Amino acid sequence: MRTPIYRYVMPFAAITSAALFLTACGAGSAGTGGADASGVAAKSDAVPTTDVVSAEKKDPAAARLLPAGTTRLTVAISVGGTPPGTTYLSDGKTLTGQDVDFTKAVAKVLGIDLTVDQASFEAILPALDSGKYDVGASNFGVTDERRRTIDFVTYVNDGQGFATRKDSKLSKITDLRQLCGLNVATGAGTTFEATLEENKHLCTDAGKKPYQVQTYAEPSAIWSSVQQGRSDIVMSTINGLRYAVARQPGLKFLNEFHRLDVGFAFKKGTKLAPAFQAAVNRLIADGTYDRILKKWGTTGSAIDRSRISPPEIKN
């Protein structure tokens, strides 16, 4: 487990435009982003900066579901480097992204402050069990394996997909045996790495050369590997792949492979889950939910209601 790079201890309501978590108001500016009819973000090099959260109000009914005396929680977030995942604004220190907006919005509904720790993706879930963090918010997919030790409160539906170079002959991946003999780039400590490692035997069982799993801690390293030909294909989040392909020349999105619910992560048996579920459902009801998705071009990931630790989607 890696020690968090830095820590902010700051009341959530007091965070300003120069500090962690606030996205500046910018409706109509070049940095506001947007989505087309398919829910894919419109092409732009700028990170969306529309403020879609600050008007959210406390919901007393949802707040009453918090354990007595809860006024501040410690949330761990991993910086992936590319939207709609968590990234930095142009100042190089202000975090933004879809998970950031949902975390901000839920905190406002519940009327609580946050201590925000930046941590490596693979370190967050184990640290929840130790009590180091109260909440993890980094696009964590809900799997049956994770549900053995982690509780989730869902807020979007994303999942696994593939992308590659435009000049590649690869097409839609419906069976991992199509990857046999290839180099597959993905993120370390992710469901993608787990899926690939668990199914390597499919190639050897079929008498074929197994694919090689190449893991990277930073998305930029993944894309460099593909662009430079060291990797043949990328497996990552559906939303992240669509966003990257829309903004980087020479790439193409292949297909969705496996949908997963995505949720806030907690220590198993947490008493925080009902409050977070009520807060997400409030966001869905009052329209903030849709505004967040439209900002990040991820309307195709909308859910009708939040659930607590649902079974893994099998498809």
Side-chain angles (χ1 to χ4, degrees):
M1 184 183 302
R2 233 164 45 187
T3 302
I5 300 172
Y6 54 76
R7 189 174 192 179
Y8 288 83
V9 183
M10 182 182 300
F12 188 89
I15 296 174
T16 65
S17 59
L20 179 67
F21 257 19
L22 186 71
T23 52
C25 296
S29 72
T32 59
D36 61 22
S38 67
V40 178
K43 187 171 183 177
S44 169
D45 291 333
V47 175
T49 56
T50 308
D51 180 2
V52 293
V53 173
S54 64
E56 191 64 44
K57 305 296 183 183
K58 179 179 178 179
D59 180 354
R64 282 195 294 271
L65 297 175
L66 287 167
T70 302
T71 59
R72 178 186 294 276
L73 296 174
T74 300
V75 57
I77 290 184
S78 172
V79 179
T82 42
T86 302
T87 188
Y88 294 103
L89 290 181
S90 58
D91 61 11
K93 59 184 179 181
T94 306
L95 291 181
T96 187
Q98 179 173 271
D99 296 321
V100 170
D101 278 348
F102 274 116
T103 305
K104 286 170 45 180
V106 165
K108 290 183 74 68
V109 171
L110 297 178
I112 57 174
D113 297 326
L114 297 176
T115 296
V116 180
D117 276 13
Q118 180 183 320
S120 61
F121 181 87
E122 62 271 23
I124 295 175
L125 295 185
L128 291 172
D129 188 58
S130 72
K132 184 172 186 177
Y133 308 126
D134 298 305
V135 189
S138 289
N139 203 67
F140 288 110
V142 181
T143 67
D144 290 339
E145 177 66 27
R146 285 177 172 170
R147 288 194 308 127
R148 294 189 179 99
T149 56
I150 298 293
D151 281 341
F152 294 94
V153 172
T154 62
Y155 56 95
V156 292
N157 176 272
D158 192 352
Q160 304 173 336
F162 290 99
T164 188
R165 295 182 303 278
K166 275 190 176 178
D167 61 4
S168 172
K169 295 180 180 180
L170 291 170
S171 58
K172 185 175 182 178
I173 305 297
T174 58
D175 188 317
L176 294 181
R177 280 169 287 204
Q178 293 171 255
L179 303 177
C180 296
L182 301 180
N183 293 322
V184 186
T186 195
T190 62
T191 59
F192 319 112
E193 180 185 9
T195 296
L196 291 167
E197 291 292 353
E198 289 169 6
N199 289 282
K200 263 187 173 182
H201 67 91
L202 294 176
C203 293
T204 54
D205 291 350
K208 298 180 180 180
K209 182 180 178 181
Y211 50 76
Q212 297 301 310
V213 183
Q214 301 171 320
T215 58
Y216 299 90
E218 301 294 335
S220 59
I222 293 177
W223 293 115
S224 293
S225 179
V226 173
Q227 295 278 28
Q228 295 170 13
R230 297 192 305 274
S231 300
D232 300 296
I233 191 169
V234 176
M235 187 180 193
S236 190
T237 66
I238 294 166
N239 289 333
L241 291 174
R242 288 189 184 279
Y243 196 100
V245 166
R247 286 158 178 78
Q248 296 188 55
L251 299 174
K252 63 181 178 181
F253 179 77
L254 294 181
N255 63 286
E256 297 182 6
F257 181 71
H258 177 47
R259 278 275 175 179
L260 285 173
D261 287 317
V262 169
F264 294 106
F266 306 86
K267 180 179 181 178
K268 193 71 176 176
T270 181
K271 295 182 179 179
L272 295 170
F276 270 69
Q277 180 189 33
V280 174
N281 285 332
R282 168 62 183 265
L283 298 175
I284 292 172
D286 69 18
T288 298
Y289 183 86
D290 285 339
R291 287 189 286 274
I292 292 173
L293 294 184
K294 287 178 181 177
K295 172 182 176 178
W296 297 105
T298 56
T299 54
S301 286
I303 59 174
D304 294 330
R305 62 184 176 88
S306 177
R307 295 192 294 168
I308 298 174
S309 297
E312 180 179 347
I313 295 173
K314 305 291 185 181
N315 59 2

